[in-house]
Each structure stands twice: as structure tokens, then as C-alpha cells.
Amino acid sequence: KNEVEQSPQNLTAQEGEFITINCSYSVGISALHWLQQHPGGGIVSLFMLSSGKKKHGRLIATINIQEKHSSLHITASHPRDSAVYICAAPSGNQFYFGTGTSLTVIP
Amino acid sequence: EAQVTQNPRYLITVTGKKLTVTCSQNMNHEYMSWYRQDPGLGLRQIYYSMNVEVTDKGDVPEGYKVSRKEKRNFPLILESPSPNQTSLYFCASSLLPTGTSYNEQFFGPGTRLTVL
């Protein structure tokens, strides 16, 4: 069993749609990370959060530490949002990564 | 500009031919890691380093070696590459220990390796 599970694995949306990506984890953590992997391969950090909600532009991340669940929402999706979104749970000496959600936003 | 660089970005090689993927960071970070990314498996840690001359195995260290002789550099060595090491490799660095909660990891651009 993976320590971090994401769903869905693949997601195709029309431009303008509201998107939700879910992440559940089994390891004990204080904060969860959301990462974005661009089509060219580079990985950047989007959010680090330990409670409630964080917002950055059209991206919103929420977390429920007690339920060990986090969601990433994208409002008014745009083709430039097309990427792989990865949740990661730091614990012990390492990060545990989800397998990623590949998002394609069609114009 | 704060960054992690990797070279080469793309490499096609043959089984058994030793190769080194370099990684360098300019942020004076103590903690560095190597990951491989495979379809359906996500990112898995190969090795990590806590400081100069201090390294430890991650989840999938077999077939790999690392060294940390300088703080900024953390090369990944494949002494005898095999086809099952065909993958996308990422180097990452961070200011705090890798598993620390509010600790951003900075990733390199990735190296796509194909072993024939």
C-alpha cells in the first residue's frame, strides 16, 4: 500500500471548469505539500499546508489533518494549468510522493 | 538566481557503460536527494545526503552510488547501468532535513536516461 494515494490519475477538463484533485495519506505528518510538474519535466512547489485552506491565484489547497486528506482545487481552469500535480507527505527522513494526477485542460 | 542544475538533461547509453549525472545547487543547502520517477510509481528516493561526506540510502538504492565531497555538488553514479534504470531522475535540495514539514524542496530540471 502506498503511503500517499492520489485520485484521479488522469483528468481532462474543458477550459473554465472547476477541478478537484484528491490526496489521502497514511503517514503521520504536520504539513502536506502540493507540487506541480510542468510538461517539460520541472517540478515546483505550489503549497505547504498543515490546516485549513491556502489560496494562490486560482489554486486552492485544503487539508484535514485528522482525516489525513487534502484537496487541490483549480477554479476557472486554463490550458496553461495542464501539468502533473503531485502531493507529497514529509515524514522521517524523506518525502512520500503520490503518483501524480495528469491534468489536461482543453481550450 | 537560486537553482538546482543537472547535467546531462538527456542521455542514451548502453548496458554496462558507467555514467555520472551531476547535480549542483547554489543555495548553500545542506540536504540533497536523488529521486527517480517512473510511470505509475511516482517519485522514489534513491539516496540522500545530510551534509558533506554524509549520505544514506533511500528506498531504491540498488545499482546507484553517490558522493558528497562538496556542499554544492551531489553526483549520481551508475557504475554498470541496466535497462531497468531507464527513468527520469531528479536531484533536489533543501535547507532543512528532507522530512521536515515546512521545508520546501528545490528540484533540478530532471535527467531523462535511457539504457539500451
Side-chain angles (χ1 to χ4, degrees), chain B residues 25-102:
Chain B
Q25 49 92 6
N26 63 0
M27 294 167 279
N28 203 36
H29 286 168
E30 290 187 353
Y31 301 89
M32 299 184 74
S33 294
W34 273 104
Y35 299 95
R36 61 177 290 174
Q37 186 180 38
D38 301 290
L41 296 176
L43 286 153
R44 293 179 292 168
Q45 191 179 53
I46 302 171
Y47 269 95
Y48 63 94
S49 172
M50 295 77 84
N51 210 331
V52 175
E53 302 290 4
V54 184
T55 64
D56 206 351
K57 297 177 181 178
D59 291 327
V60 288
E62 295 78 20
Y64 304 95
K65 284 176 59 177
V66 292
S67 70
R68 187 95 181 269
K69 297 191 188 318
E70 303 167 283
K71 198 171 187 179
R72 63 184 294 128
N73 296 324
F74 189 41
L76 179 69
I77 303 154
L78 285 72
E79 298 243 334
S80 184
S82 62
N84 64 11
Q85 293 178 298
T86 293
S87 187
L88 179 59
Y89 291 86
F90 288 97
C91 179
S93 74
S94 61
L95 183 63
L96 300 174
T98 307
T100 306
S101 288
Y102 277 95

Side-chain angles (χ1 to χ4, degrees), chain A residues 2 9 29-33 35 37 40-45 48-51 54 84 86 90-100, chain B residues 9-10 33 35 37-38 40-45 48 50 56 58-59 88 90 97-110:
Chain A
N2 291 335
Q9 281 194 321
I29 65 168
S30 298
L32 186 97
H33 295 232
L35 311 172
Q37 184 171 17
I43 299 173
V44 296
S45 177
M48 294 179 279
L49 73 166
S50 60
S51 65
K54 282 195 174 181
V84 175
I86 302 168
S91 182
N93 285 325
Q94 63 178 296
F95 271 75
Y96 294 93
F97 295 91
T99 53
Chain B
R9 295 289 313 279
Y10 302 91
S33 294
Y35 299 95
Q37 186 180 38
D38 301 290
L41 296 176
L43 286 153
R44 293 179 292 168
Q45 191 179 53
Y48 63 94
M50 295 77 84
D56 206 351
D59 291 327
L88 179 59
F90 288 97
T98 307
T100 306
S101 288
Y102 277 95
N103 176 37
E104 183 176 357
Q105 282 207 92
F106 294 83
F107 288 85

Side-chain angles (χ1 to χ4, degrees), chain A residues 2-105:
Chain A
N2 291 335
E3 288 83 0
V4 179
E5 303 271 1
Q6 274 184 251
S7 63
Q9 281 194 321
N10 297 285
L11 184 54
T12 301
Q14 289 291 134
E15 183 173 357
E17 284 186 13
F18 181 84
I19 288 161
T20 295
I21 299 169
N22 294 302
C23 175
S24 296
Y25 54 92
S26 59
V27 291
I29 65 168
S30 298
L32 186 97
H33 295 232
W34 281 99
L35 311 172
Q36 181 190 54
Q37 184 171 17
H38 300 295
I43 299 173
V44 296
S45 177
L46 294 175
F47 294 104
M48 294 179 279
L49 73 166
S50 60
S51 65
K53 179 167 72 174
K54 282 195 174 181
K55 186 170 189 262
H56 184 213
R58 294 179 294 103
L59 273 60
I60 303 167
T62 64
I63 190 168
N64 185 318
I65 289 286
Q66 288 74 26
E67 294 186 5
K68 296 190 173 182
H69 182 269
S70 177
S71 294
L72 178 67
H73 306 284
I74 305 175
T75 61
S77 59
H78 190 276
R80 64 175 174 266
D81 297 325
S82 297
V84 175
Y85 293 85
I86 302 168
C87 67
S91 182
N93 285 325
Q94 63 178 296
F95 271 75
Y96 294 93
F97 295 91
T99 53
T101 295
S102 179
L103 171 65
T104 302
V105 182

